Amino acid sequence: MKTVFKIENLDLFYGEFQALKNISLEIEKNQVTALIGPSGCGKSTFLRCLNRMNDLIESCKIMGDVAYHDENVYDRDYDVIGLRTKVGMVFQNPNPFPMSIYDNIAYGPRCQGIKDKKRLDEIVHTSLEKAALIDEVKDRLNDSAMGLSGGQQQRLCIARAIAMEPEVILMDEPTSALDPIATLKIEELMNDLKKDYTIVIVTHSMQQAARISDKTAFFLMGELIEVDSTDTIFTQPKNQKTEDYITGRFG
């Protein structure tokens, strides 16, 4: 397995509060890695370290290594914009731009200087196809994205990430605001997407982690308690705390 991200001895502070404690973890190519654990345990904070979204928080201080293809993304002269292009993000609540479906997806490529209409048409079509949304919206590309259902909006946000040709897609509880049918569609989509992308997902649902991920990392109070293949984590966890969480004794 090729390693895309190698995280070593990662500590993160918000002011005086230490949110992540000595995290070491590898993210492997074309796999779905699920981050599980109770609310406030550091999952989303860790996820945002991978594309430096925590830079936007003033009191945040980070120590340790987050290597993307063997380069530490926290080096002073690292290209952060390039990183966020290669490591896309989908948030908890669907957040389409208040513009047409077409323009939502063409926005990023246009910002990168792609102006050719034929090329943009191609990108929009391919991205919607990969996000399993094309059949539902192909006749209304000029309609506002705000008119889509919640599940469709979230798939649009995934298509928008895909349009930037990332290698990694980070997903922060992408189905928590969706109904069960829309959730199932996103889960099926993730299974297809991992052929082309590496996916890291924060999920509050252990059932979801068990269904969709290859590897699961269990976080508790800012610490990485255990990481292993999903089958092992859910059937033979090595740490008592993992077993207690998975069997519902706490959390």
Side-chain angles (χ1 to χ4, degrees):
M1 278 288 172
K2 189 172 181 226
T3 299
V4 177
F5 272 103
K6 186 173 186 176
I7 297 95
E8 292 184 294
N9 312 119
L10 177 69
D11 291 314
L12 182 143
F13 294 82
Y14 294 128
E16 296 296 303
F17 173 69
Q18 187 168 2
L20 294 175
K21 301 165 189 169
N22 198 29
I23 308 290
S24 294
L25 174 64
E26 292 187 11
I27 308 284
E28 282 153 355
K29 190 175 170 64
N30 298 113
Q31 286 206 331
V32 178
T33 300
L35 313 179
I36 64 167
S39 293
C41 67
K43 308 182 295 289
S44 294
T45 296
F46 173 77
L47 189 76
R48 291 196 298 267
C49 287
L50 301 179
N51 68 345
R52 288 189 50 173
M53 288 294 273
N54 291 314
D55 287 16
L56 308 170
I57 301 164
E58 221 169 86
S59 64
C60 185
K61 189 172 76 179
I62 289 170
M63 291 173 285
D65 277 356
V66 177
Y68 177 53
H69 295 304
D70 301 325
E71 281 187 74
N72 185 11
V73 304
Y74 285 93
D75 283 348
R76 188 166 292 169
D77 53 356
Y78 195 88
D79 174 10
V80 181
I81 291 168
L83 174 70
R84 289 185 189 145
T85 304
K86 283 289 163 207
V87 183
M89 186 133 191
V90 176
F91 295 93
Q92 187 168 358
N93 291 308
N95 59 344
F97 302 140
M99 50 178 75
S100 72
I101 294 166
Y102 183 99
D103 286 337
N104 259 273
I105 294 167
Y107 182 84
R110 279 187 186 127
C111 288
Q112 288 185 313
I114 298 171
K115 299 282 184 267
D116 180 62
K117 176 80 168 73
K118 193 173 170 211
R119 177 80 188 103
L120 286 170
D121 288 350
E122 229 169 70
I123 292 169
V124 169
H125 189 277
T126 304
S127 304
L128 286 168
E129 198 167 42
K130 284 189 170 178
L133 190 58
I134 189 71
D135 291 344
E136 293 161 60
V137 302
K138 62 177 185 288
D139 301 323
R140 46 197 278 222
L141 293 179
N142 295 320
D143 292 2
S144 169
M146 309 318 269
L148 296 173
S149 70
Q152 288 172 325
Q153 286 186 5
Q154 194 62 303
R155 278 181 285 146
L156 179 70
C157 293
I158 293 169
R160 195 171 66 195
I162 288 170
M164 299 300 285
E165 298 187 341
E167 180 187 16
V168 180
I169 302 175
L170 309 178
M171 298 188 172
D172 193 356
E173 298 199 17
T175 62
S176 66
L178 305 180
D179 63 56
I181 291 166
T183 295
L184 183 64
K185 281 196 167 163
I186 301 268
E187 288 183 3
E188 287 170 348
L189 175 57
M190 277 189 261
N191 204 32
D192 286 340
L193 288 176
K194 75 174 181 185
K195 298 185 195 91
D196 299 314
Y197 308 95
T198 299
I199 296 172
V200 187
I201 176 173
V202 168
T203 177
H204 63 284
S205 162
M206 285 187 280
Q207 291 83 359
Q208 183 172 70
R211 282 193 298 267
I212 62 163
S213 68
D214 302 289
K215 187 172 174 179
T216 296
F218 170 54
F219 283 74
L220 184 65
M221 295 173 75
E223 293 180 40
L224 175 59
I225 302 298
E226 187 170 353
V227 58
D228 212 323
S229 76
T230 296
D231 284 351
T232 303
I233 289 282
F234 282 97
T235 57
Q236 295 172 304
K238 295 176 184 66
N239 191 298
Q240 188 61 45
K241 288 176 184 169
T242 313
E243 186 166 330
D244 289 350
Y245 182 69
I246 281 164
T247 54
R249 288 193 195 115
F250 74 89

